[in-house]
Amino acid sequence: MYGTVPGSAPAPTSVLQVGPDGLFEVGPVSDGLAWLSIGLFVLAALLEWRERRRVGGATSPENAPIGKPVRVVAFAAWLTFAAFWLNLVPHFAFVHQSYVEGLLSLVAVPASAYVGWLVYSGRDTLFVLTRAVAVMGVVYLPFETIPALSVAGIALPAPRQVLIEHTAVMTALVMEAVGYTPEMIESSEGYDATFRWLYDDGGEEHIIHVSVVLACTGIGSMSIFAGLIAAVRAPLVRKLRALAIAIGIIYVLNVLRTSFITIVTGNQYMHWFPEAVLFLFGEASPYRVSFLVSDRIISQVLAVVALIGVTYLVVRQLPELLIVLEDVLYVLTGEEHDLQEVIDLPREPTNLDGAGRSAATASVDAAGSEASEGSGAETTEAPESEVGESSDPDAMD
């Protein structure tokens, strides 16, 4: 969530300026890198599909070899993706004040570059993850970058506005159900998405604003699962079932999360260890403490746990996703893993079972060995103050 003294601060999109081109800001540079990387991912996915169909035919496209031009495009996509995350590290760590997101962004830089190298070196199963990122970007970027438009005299709101205002309305309904009715006013982005609280601090009244922004909507997490589910090859019925489970759980948990943060912040319920919290996050206003504890610490840690749980439930419906998780573990540990042996999954026929899995993974393991050998709502205290953004670990982002 994002906040400032009303009318005194810019919208929460360009919050960090370093240099004349806005490097390390959330704005034109980050948007440009995002669209460039996703464009390359989409191109790599299309080229891979064409190559497999051309060489392998319609009967066994998965066993078809992938040519070097396709690998070069995929490698370029992953390197650009690494540059995108590198550009955002200062924002998440210092402006957004999220240690979780800052650390994850920092880890994503070498991880993305390494995945690109593995794809280029011959680990073909990582093309599934490449396709997944392409779909994730296609789902997420319109909400992040497309502004309001006027078509044939009809005003169309920005996609982000529709999503943010819907999340704010659902948050208000949940809070009303448990007895809290703060006034909803216009946010710094011009949306009906800010909650205005009156807080009595020992006889002195303070106005605290809690604003819903895009990171509060859960679209980041939803796009991740949409990309993963779309990228694997499996029966459509099971893919739709897995998608419904992921989207449904994320949606419900996200609204509960925003309601929890808004109530706690507006009523200062978690004013715990204020000196330590303010020192840890480099803040001065004591009215930020409840927000930082409820959002940046509790909610973001629980969001990671929730995503792990959702992943488990989705994999039970779609065991084909195990190949992606095994590749992620390989990138992190440098060792091969067989998750089907350690996870209790229903034994439905999938493209990971029996001879199909053996044929698919034998060439991958060999390629991986060759690759290894070759490479070795912001707050300000004042008569009126506004508390910042209930973020998402782009988290239920």
Side-chain angles (χ1 to χ4, degrees):
M1 294 176 138
Y2 183 89
T4 53
V5 176
S8 67
T13 53
S14 183
V15 290
L16 178 62
Q17 291 279 352
V18 179
D21 297 325
L23 188 62
F24 299 124
E25 70 170 347
V26 175
V29 173
S30 63
D31 287 352
L33 286 171
W35 279 111
L36 177 59
S37 64
I38 296 306
L40 289 171
F41 277 118
V42 171
L43 178 60
L46 292 175
L47 291 175
E48 181 220 355
W49 176 83
R50 188 185 69 173
E51 185 90 346
R52 291 189 187 278
R53 290 290 175 178
R54 181 179 63 84
V55 178
T59 56
S60 59
E62 286 301 312
N63 297 325
I66 301 298
K68 180 165 286 190
V70 182
R71 298 185 188 280
V72 169
V73 175
F75 187 30
W78 282 104
L79 288 182
T80 308
F81 202 46
F84 166 76
W85 288 114
L86 178 62
N87 186 65
L88 289 183
V89 170
H91 166 70
F92 284 128
F94 305 117
V95 178
H96 203 54
Q97 296 174 307
S98 171
Y99 288 105
V100 173
E101 291 175 308
L103 179 61
L104 291 176
S105 300
L106 186 61
V107 170
V109 177
S112 297
Y114 184 46
V115 170
W117 170 250
L118 290 176
V119 171
Y120 179 78
S121 301
R123 193 173 180 89
D124 285 2
T125 50
L126 282 170
F127 273 103
V128 178
L129 188 57
T130 300
R131 295 196 298 266
V133 176
V135 177
M136 293 175 203
V138 170
V139 173
Y140 180 79
L141 283 182
F143 294 98
E144 180 67 48
T145 60
I146 294 180
L149 300 172
S150 179
V151 179
I154 301 175
L156 301 176
R160 66 186 293 121
Q161 178 179 354
V162 175
L163 201 56
I164 288 171
E165 291 186 343
H166 172 77
T167 302
V169 168
M170 297 307 297
T171 300
L173 290 175
V174 171
M175 291 193 296
E176 184 177 354
V178 294
Y180 296 93
T181 56
E183 178 187 3
M184 187 182 292
I185 62 175
E186 188 176 278
S187 69
S188 59
E189 293 183 273
Y191 308 151
D192 293 328
T194 291
F195 297 101
R196 184 175 184 268
W197 295 85
L198 295 177
Y199 175 66
D200 186 355
D201 186 8
E204 183 179 354
E205 191 174 77
H206 292 269
I207 297 176
I208 297 176
H209 290 170
V210 184
S211 299
V212 176
V213 296
L214 187 63
C216 307
T217 63
I219 186 61
S221 297
M222 293 179 189
S223 66
I224 289 173
F225 282 98
L228 291 172
I229 292 168
V232 299
R233 289 178 171 85
L236 180 60
V237 171
R238 285 199 288 111
K239 293 176 77 168
L240 291 176
R241 194 165 61 205
L243 184 63
I245 290 172
I247 300 301
I249 293 175
I250 291 171
Y251 179 86
V252 172
L253 291 181
N254 186 68
V255 172
L256 293 177
R257 179 180 67 88
T258 56
S259 303
F260 162 71
I261 294 170
T262 304
I263 292 171
V264 167
T265 302
N267 294 277
Q268 298 290 287
Y269 284 152
M270 291 186 175
H271 192 75
W272 302 340
F273 309 105
E275 293 81 6
V277 172
L278 293 176
F279 173 78
L280 183 64
F281 288 92
E283 284 286 345
S285 172
Y287 295 97
R288 286 279 287 170
V289 173
S290 286
F291 169 72
L292 294 170
V293 172
S294 62
D295 181 12
R296 299 302 196 248
I297 299 176
I298 295 176
S299 292
Q300 291 195 357
V301 171
L302 291 179
V304 174
V305 175
L307 287 178
I308 294 173
V310 173
T311 301
Y312 174 74
L313 294 176
V314 169
V315 166
R316 288 187 63 84
Q317 301 296 325
L318 204 62
E320 288 83 356
L321 282 175
L322 285 179
I323 197 70
V324 178
L325 301 181
E326 290 168 354
D327 276 335
V328 171
L329 288 176
Y330 178 82
V331 170
L332 296 176
T333 66
E335 299 178 354
E336 300 289 354
H337 298 266
D338 187 353
L339 293 180
Q340 192 131 13
E341 290 187 354
V342 298
I343 299 178
D344 179 24
L345 293 176
R347 293 296 174 175
E348 298 182 48
T350 74
N351 64 6
L352 297 181
D353 290 333
R357 178 181 174 84
S358 300
T361 57
S363 61
V364 170
D365 294 343
S369 299
E370 291 174 7
S372 299
E373 292 172 3
S375 65
E378 209 103 314
T379 332
T380 54
E381 179 194 354
E384 288 197 43
S385 56
E386 181 171 4
V387 179
E389 177 221 291
S390 177
S391 68
D392 190 42
D394 227 324
M396 273 300 297
D397 224 325

